[in-house]
Amino acid sequence: MKNNGLEDVIAAETRLSDVDGEAGRLVIRGVSLDLLVSHATFEDVAVLLLDGMLEQPLSATDLKTRLGEARAEVFSHVVSADEALLNLPPVDAMRALIARLPDGEDLETALRLLAAPAVFLPAVLRLQKGETPVAPKPSLSQSADILAMLSGSLPTREQVAALDAYLVTISDHGLNASTFASRVVASTKAGLTSSVLAAISALKGPLHGGAPGPVLDMLDAVGTQENAKAWLADALDRGERLMGFGHRIYRVRDPRADALKHALEPLVATGQVDLDRIRLAEAVEQAALAILRERKPDRPLDVNVEFYTALLLDALKFPREAFTGVFAIGRTVGWIAHAREQALEGRLIRPRSVYVGPLPQAA
Ligand code: ACO
């Protein structure tokens, strides 16, 4: 089967986002990512994506208030995080807590689902370190509150702006694997919580949202700028893939990588990052692009969103094992918007397979 990754299959019509892999362009509801990321907060992009998808319209101010209330509401579930749950990787523990929330298709369910990963991930991370979870402050923006719940103190303006830029950048991205999973579940009318749980399960794989942690592992293993070329050559000789490079759709640079690189700049300018790490990453990026061009001349492979995600989330002091969970915090709004679009306009998704197994023996 040639396209067993379904690459040429159109499986949905959407008004939510468009990924142009040849031009390296991402459009979210008619707005190009470069424009959106320069002025929008998480709340703004949530309003943009959910417009017309729920039974009542919401302004960014309404959403900020109601999302703050929803964070306070879901925080009550944190007490149910027992030892078995806390022994799981953070994204799995977060998913297990979300699985306790009721299913539904309404605004309350959507708000609870937007709030839940933002509250559960910082709480799980603190509990896993033996610290007390920090309760949400409903008056803060979603990004400021996430950072406050993570560290226990109020974040700087540059940190909040960087997290907003990240959450906006990754809010939606066409029919990627997790979004498709969300739409498949939505097509059965199971409810938004079920769609989001399926999507998180698809996201956590290393070929999708699980890559940024390994990007930092790679930078650690490379160690110094001088070692970059030799280390990357050895990795390719061992048949490994370079984490943070390559993409199913983009044949040029992933526009989200540049959005995040740009979002890092105020943190760099104000000394809120480890500069050695940034310089090493730049050297690894240059060396990787050169060696991939040399080794895979027929396959354009460039940097993807995960490379700069790793640097940005590291600068915001998220531990690397939590990166996939932070991705889920931002992408949940895209999953919900797609699930609602599917439920409102689509039919049951039920493709066919070709049977290639043995036939019954003739009697
Ligand atoms: N490093 C080295 N070689 C690569 C890489 C890479 N990162 N990516 C693709 N290739 C090579 C493959 O080995 C293959 O070569 P071959 O034909 O000689 O066997 C060729 O390029 C095509 O590979 P495919 O698997 O067809 O590419 P596909 O489009 O399926 O893969 C993927 C896309 C999974 C993202 C891949 O590039 C990869 O594994 N990258 C590393 C992991 C990563 O960064 N994931 C995050 C993606 S972004 C996101 O999901 C949010």
Side-chain angles (χ1 to χ4, degrees):
M1 211 181 133
K2 194 169 156 281
N3 66 341
N4 61 1
L6 302 185
E7 38 272 70
D8 299 321
V9 176
I10 308 283
E13 261 186 11
T14 183
R15 282 173 280 137
L16 295 169
S17 63
D18 182 45
V19 183
D20 183 336
E22 301 298 329
R25 198 188 53 179
L26 169 61
V27 171
I28 296 179
R29 295 211 97 167
V31 188
S32 83
L33 175 66
D34 353 337
L35 194 62
L36 197 59
V37 78
S38 64
H39 70 271
T41 61
F42 171 78
E43 283 80 0
D44 294 327
V45 86
V47 165
L48 189 65
L49 279 165
L50 295 176
D51 182 31
M53 299 296 164
L54 296 162
E55 75 268 30
Q56 56 197 95
L58 271 178
S59 68
T61 318
D62 287 346
L63 184 101
K64 182 168 179 271
T65 308
R66 298 199 55 179
L67 194 52
E69 291 162 3
R71 287 196 302 274
E73 183 203 325
V74 299
F75 185 68
S76 62
H77 288 273
V78 168
V79 288
S80 69
D82 59 17
E83 199 187 329
L85 185 140
L86 293 173
N87 281 332
L88 297 170
V91 68
D92 292 351
M94 182 188 93
R95 182 181 56 179
L97 285 170
I98 296 173
R100 300 183 60 98
L101 300 177
D103 231 325
E105 292 282 349
D106 56 355
L107 177 63
E108 270 64 41
T109 308
L111 289 167
R112 225 181 272 124
L113 288 167
L114 289 180
V119 170
F120 293 157
L121 187 70
V124 161
L125 293 171
R126 289 184 72 90
L127 286 165
Q128 287 179 330
K129 284 195 293 179
E131 295 171 356
T132 311
V134 173
K137 292 179 191 58
S139 61
L140 293 179
S141 71
Q142 175 102 330
S143 293
D145 210 9
I146 292 166
L147 294 169
M149 287 186 278
L150 181 72
S151 71
S153 52
L154 282 179
T156 65
R157 198 157 40 92
E158 293 80 15
Q159 288 172 326
V160 176
L163 186 57
D164 265 323
Y166 172 72
L167 298 177
V168 168
T169 297
I170 54 109
S171 58
D172 199 38
H173 199 241
L175 202 58
N176 57 85
S178 56
T179 300
F180 185 47
S182 168
R183 289 191 80 119
V184 170
V185 173
S187 85
T188 73
K189 310 267 188 234
L192 290 173
T193 309
S194 298
S195 276
V196 167
L197 288 166
I200 293 173
S201 305
L203 181 77
K204 66 174 254 192
L207 299 190
H208 189 8
V215 168
L216 284 193
D217 297 340
M218 178 176 78
L219 294 180
D220 285 347
V222 172
T224 62
Q225 296 183 34
E226 300 68 43
N227 193 30
K229 203 170 157 194
W231 190 94
L232 296 170
D234 284 350
L236 291 178
D237 288 344
R238 290 192 299 271
E240 290 172 14
R241 288 186 177 198
L242 306 182
M243 287 293 140
F245 296 87
H247 197 271
R248 174 59 63 82
I249 306 282
Y250 291 117
R251 289 293 157 261
V252 290
R253 219 173 146 81
D254 183 335
R256 298 169 301 170
D258 285 331
L260 298 184
K261 188 175 182 180
H262 192 58
L264 262 168
E265 283 164 11
L267 292 173
V268 173
T270 50
Q272 299 182 64
V273 289
D274 173 357
L275 267 183
D276 289 342
R277 166 86 80 200
I278 301 287
R279 300 290 166 252
L280 173 64
E282 285 167 353
V284 168
E285 181 185 353
Q286 291 317 316
L289 294 178
I291 198 165
L292 286 170
R293 262 196 304 272
E294 186 187 308
R295 300 278 186 104
K296 307 272 177 195
D298 303 330
R299 172 79 174 172
L301 292 168
D302 213 315
V303 72
N304 66 41
V305 66
E306 304 288 27
F307 193 77
Y308 281 97
T309 291
L311 298 177
L312 189 116
L313 297 186
D314 186 48
L316 293 177
K317 309 218 168 20
F318 287 98
R320 68 188 70 183
E321 64 278 10
F323 288 179
T324 311
V326 192
F327 195 148
I329 294 176
R331 185 54 65 81
T332 300
V333 65
W335 293 331
I336 292 173
H338 275 271
R340 286 296 302 152
E341 191 178 47
Q342 181 69 37
L344 289 170
E345 297 166 20
R347 298 176 63 222
L348 175 71
I349 295 175
R350 203 308 185 188
R352 294 174 57 185
S353 50
V354 178
Y355 180 66
V356 294
L359 294 170
Q361 302 283 331

